[in-house]
Amino acid sequence: MDLVCPVCNCMASYLISCPDCGGPMEDSGVVQDFYDDYSPYLDRSITDKVDGAAEDECMHLFYCPSCDSKQRLPIKRVKI
Ligand SMILES: [Zn+2]
Ligand SMILES: [Zn+2]
């Protein structure tokens, strides 16, 4: 049994509204990928703690193309 992020694994997509302009925000991917782009499949137990996210959550960055606003949203991992 594994804990996986449904968004990273294309099992679900999240549509959230921009807190500034109310427009749709786009998923820009996992936050760790911005710091560590050589291996997105690295054991995340260390980077998760640095990021402040719980181990069973995947921190995603959402971006608003209308007003350039960015927001972090932790995605709850699901068991498969
Ligand atoms: Zn994810
Ligand atoms: Zn916006």
Side-chain angles (χ1 to χ4, degrees), residues 64-79:
C64 176
S66 309
C67 70
D68 225 27
S69 176
K70 294 182 182 69
Q71 192 174 333
R72 288 172 173 213
L73 185 72
I75 309 293
K76 199 89 178 163
R77 292 196 170 113
V78 295
K79 289 192 174 88

Side-chain angles (χ1 to χ4, degrees), residues 16 18 43 45 49-50 52 58 72:
I16 65 169
C18 173
D43 184 350
S45 56
K49 288 192 180 72
V50 172
C58 183
R72 288 172 173 213

